[in-house]
Amino acid sequence: FNAELYRPDNVRLQWTTATEINNDYFTVEKSQNGINFENLKEISGAGNSSVVKNYSTTDSEPFKGINYYRLKQTDFDGTFTYSKIISLNNSYSTISD
């Protein structure tokens, strides 16, 4: 799971899975403080897959300064896991809190 500032006020978030078992969907979450997260986007998973899958989405309204992101993966039965938290410094943003 990684993030990159690819245009002012746009953060590209990308991740790859090697296999998926009962994967219902991913939720990309963002935060200004690394503690309180909000949902950014929900993306359908492949369900069951044994081939490499590439996923990406964009945060078109990043916070000014440090943005924290994490990926939540939810199975069909509702169980979920989180990725590690990643951060990105958006020094170009004109969007305020």
Side-chain angles (χ1 to χ4, degrees):
F1 182 52
N2 64 61
E4 66 176 333
L5 190 64
Y6 76 102
R7 289 190 334 219
D9 290 333
N10 278 275
V11 174
R12 180 179 301 147
L13 301 140
Q14 300 174 308
W15 65 99
T16 302
T17 61
T19 61
E20 295 182 32
I21 300 171
N22 297 320
N23 180 20
D24 192 4
Y25 61 93
F26 296 99
T27 307
V28 178
E29 300 179 343
K30 69 187 260 188
S31 171
Q32 277 189 291
N33 60 15
I35 298 168
N36 302 312
F37 284 83
E38 61 187 58
N39 291 349
L40 175 65
K41 301 249 174 102
E42 190 175 289
I43 297 170
S44 296
N48 295 294
S49 173
S50 59
V51 298
V52 172
K53 297 279 188 185
N54 296 302
Y55 296 90
S56 67
T57 192
T58 301
D59 181 359
S60 58
E61 295 183 358
F63 303 117
K64 181 170 178 57
I66 304 294
N67 288 257
Y68 297 91
Y69 297 96
R70 70 182 178 188
L71 188 63
K72 179 181 179 183
Q73 183 277 316
T74 304
D75 287 341
F76 291 118
D77 67 3
T79 60
F80 59 86
T81 57
Y82 288 105
S83 70
K84 67 178 185 172
I85 296 171
I86 60 174
S87 63
L88 177 123
N89 185 5
N90 179 19
S91 59
Y92 299 107
S93 181
T94 58
I95 298 171
S96 62
D97 314 1

